[in-house]
Amino acid sequence: MRAWQVSELGEPAEVMRLAEDVARPVPGPGQLLVRVRAAAVNFPDALMVRGQYQVRPPLPFTPGVELCGQVADGARRGERLIGNPVLPHGAFAEYALLDAAAAFPAPEVLDDAEAAALHIGYQTAWFALRRRARLRAGETLLVHAAAGGVGSAAVQLGRAAGARVIAVVGGPAKALAARELGADLVVDRRERDFVAAVKEATDGRGADVVFDPVGGEAYTGSTKCVAFEGRIVVVGFAAGQIPTPALNHALVKNYSILGLHWGLYNTHDPRAVRTAHDELTRLADQGAVRPLVSARVPLAGAPDAVQRVATGRSTGRIAVLGD
């Protein structure tokens, strides 16, 4: 089969190589062989190729951590599933493996690219907002990188929960995308200070919940505009700067700092992951959520797609389509 492989670590556009004769992966106990119909590109893909992610597959490996695929053989042949491929056989290939226990039915209302993008980003946003922050209807939700893959999911799920959503983006194209996602207020951080915008929009009260996949200045600014008894959910550090929280500030302002590592739920509480998928499927059926897929590229375009995500030049998700 054809598969993109990484034999040395570095920038995706430089080190990903398309191999034409890679052996098709052989499923072990509890695994399913799937033909990849679409793979959603995630920021962790770039980090993994660079050797900067917490998961480091042995070289050579095929990147791609999220897919929609069709079971290729066995009793479940033909089923369309979404999930995380079993590394080192990642999603940027013609075939991949899924753990049967952690694979979920692809919602029928979503096409392959949209279904592929429903898993990691939407599960992350669901657990961050519903389980960690306990977001309630009527509260104000501040979402950083709101036009990105995980941020766009948070905007939609915030709206579905009945919250007022303030979206922070970088640039007019991303501002337009955030508005189309349903954000109540969109702030282009390149044009306006988001701290002042949040305070103005909330009459000085601040945001009840902050969804932060960025870190750096986004986190620091959020501490200045979080409400009394507000919750800041730390999801990632796309800015490349890991904040050092001043805990005395959290004490004085009476807000909470919550961490969210979605992958841990797969081992600590897999039933909750399935519950979240069922809820996301219901919301997709209702039209309340629909992954923002900004581009669909063929398998040959995978390295450029990963590089675009790595450098923040993408909106929503880019999907690499199977042949």
Side-chain angles (χ1 to χ4, degrees):
M1 69 172 186
R2 293 191 301 156
W4 285 96
Q5 293 205 308
V6 174
S7 297
E8 59 178 322
L9 302 176
E11 288 301 303
E14 298 174 359
V15 301
M16 289 177 61
R17 298 284 183 269
L18 183 60
E20 300 284 348
D21 56 353
V22 177
R24 186 182 298 183
V26 178
Q31 296 179 341
L32 300 169
L33 177 69
V34 297
R35 185 172 184 89
V36 179
R37 296 177 60 144
V41 181
N42 287 262
F43 191 66
D45 293 324
L47 295 180
M48 195 176 296
V49 172
R50 291 169 171 169
Q52 298 172 345
Y53 196 53
Q54 56 260 39
V55 177
R56 299 190 178 187
L59 298 173
F61 69 89
T62 296
V65 297
E66 181 177 39
L67 64 78
C68 173
Q70 193 165 27
V71 180
D73 53 27
R76 301 180 64 178
R77 180 183 177 89
E79 288 188 34
R80 195 171 69 115
L81 303 174
I82 64 173
N84 308 120
V86 181
L87 297 175
H89 307 291
F92 302 141
E94 291 180 320
Y95 290 89
L97 300 176
L98 291 177
D99 279 324
F104 303 94
E108 294 182 4
V109 298
L110 304 180
D111 66 24
D112 293 336
E114 293 166 335
L118 185 73
H119 194 50
I120 295 176
Y122 279 83
Q123 285 268 346
T124 296
W126 192 92
F127 274 93
L129 300 180
R130 295 286 296 274
R131 181 146 173 165
R132 301 294 284 139
R134 305 292 181 181
L135 179 67
R136 298 184 292 270
E139 290 191 313
T140 297
L141 168 65
L142 173 62
V143 179
H144 290 285
V150 68
S152 60
V155 170
Q156 292 185 339
L157 289 175
R159 291 283 294 166
R164 180 190 186 192
V165 180
I166 300 177
V168 179
V169 299
K174 295 186 177 184
L176 176 60
R179 291 190 188 96
E180 292 176 344
L181 287 165
D184 297 282
L185 174 65
V186 178
V187 181
D188 185 344
R189 58 180 170 77
R190 298 176 184 176
E191 302 291 337
R192 188 183 182 191
D193 175 28
F194 78 84
V195 175
V198 170
K199 289 182 177 179
E200 179 183 339
T202 60
D203 295 324
R205 184 177 185 279
D208 299 290
V209 175
V210 178
F211 182 86
D212 181 17
V214 178
E217 294 181 359
Y219 174 86
T220 303
S222 296
T223 64
K224 300 175 183 178
C225 61
V226 64
F228 173 76
E229 291 195 330
R231 293 86 77 198
I232 300 175
V233 190
V234 178
V235 179
F237 312 105
Q241 301 170 344
I242 299 177
T244 305
L247 297 185
N248 61 321
H249 191 261
L251 183 152
V252 171
K253 289 195 67 176
N254 210 49
Y255 62 85
S256 301
I257 305 167
L258 305 170
L260 187 282
H261 179 188
W262 170 73
L264 290 178
Y265 287 97
N266 286 303
T267 53
H268 289 272
D269 194 355
R271 182 177 298 178
V273 177
R274 187 163 294 277
T275 297
H277 175 75
D278 291 343
E279 174 68 6
L280 292 170
T281 298
R282 183 183 68 80
L283 291 171
D285 288 342
Q286 295 175 350
V289 303
R290 194 174 199 95
L292 172 61
V293 179
S294 60
R296 292 167 167 81
V297 302
L299 183 61
D304 179 66
V306 178
Q307 193 68 51
R308 286 169 60 188
V309 171
T311 54
R313 293 182 288 120
S314 63
T315 299
R317 284 275 188 253
I318 300 175
V320 177
L321 303 181
D323 295 332

